Amino acid sequence: MLHEGKLGVEMAHRAALRSIERVVGETAPLQDPLVASRGIRKMLERGSVLVLTGAGVSTDSGIPDYRGPRGSLRRHRPMTYQEFLHEPAARHRYWARSFVGWRHMDQAVPNPIHHHLAHWETSGKISGIVTQNVDGLHVAAGSHTVIALHGDMEHIRCLDCGAMEERRSLDLRLHRANPGYLERIDLDPSLVNPDGDVSQDQAHVDEFMMVGCAACGSEALKPNVVYFGENVPPERKALIRELEARSSALLVIGSSLAVMSGYKLLLDARAAGKGVGLINGGPTRGDAKADFRWRTNIVQALQSLDAPSGRIGHRPP
């Protein structure tokens, strides 16, 4: 049984690594921007469109994406769920790096994309947002119906006793345990990763002092985020199904759809016979299955869609 358990963990870890390494390439011809923009505008005019957002909507807030031209995967492999569970050294390394990088994430503010989407919800164009991001910026911008598919960075969960703690509370305890640590780190904000950590040398990692769970003392702490190799909680899936059921179509913004949890929303929309639109700067895993594929700058696209209908006739850059 022990061997089977270890084998299962290793297989899950390998599957997580394959997901991380997935390369999204071209699977469909580029679509005329005028055709794509008009099609997406009509979807929004009918109202109640479900929006799925990815890292591309937060890059203008200073948070890097994973798979873009300057994506963090080119320099950094994120932790897997199996590493959090079974590798204390990897977990310690994560928290040493996250202690430095998290404050950059915490200072990020919504950008025009987040504000456009909040306005669209108020006006009835969209039914709500499912976001793959963990930064909380949709809620900060005023969106109300937001389901964080992969959780958020605002809370920490103990893997041993299940106790939850606010990230700010943990940060205060880490400050007390590591006096002067941050002052000795020269942080390059461009190196902060979407999961909140930042690359640093092993000497700084070794110097870092981790604290235990406030309830049981265990150091097996993990952000309340769905990591590669971890399943989305069933209750969250149920909320998404409810939102899908009352939505007229799906619009994906700023996501390559490389991860199955996001891609499944596109498959669900197709299975239900609903329209699918994509707005992204690069190719997505769902290009061949979408009705409208608008390859463009996201901010400019949303500004164009908010313009009076007579102005949609121009060709976006």
Side-chain angles (χ1 to χ4, degrees), residues 233-257:
E235 60 273 14
R236 198 172 301 159
K237 292 181 180 179
L239 291 174
I240 292 172
R241 287 194 296 270
E242 292 175 6
L243 187 53
E244 287 178 311
R246 63 176 188 264
S247 300
S248 63
L250 175 70
L251 178 59
V252 181
I253 304 177
S255 174
S256 67
L257 296 174

Side-chain angles (χ1 to χ4, degrees), residues 161-200:
C161 75
M164 300 287 285
E165 181 179 11
E166 289 189 1
R167 181 66 176 83
R168 294 179 188 277
S169 171
L170 175 68
D171 193 61
L172 290 174
R173 297 199 292 124
L174 290 174
H175 266 287
R176 290 195 292 268
N178 294 274
Y181 186 87
L182 293 175
E183 290 74 14
R184 294 190 291 274
I185 303 292
D186 184 17
L187 174 63
D188 181 350
S190 68
L191 298 181
V192 177
N193 301 307
D195 51 356
D197 71 352
V198 60
S199 298
Q200 56 177 303

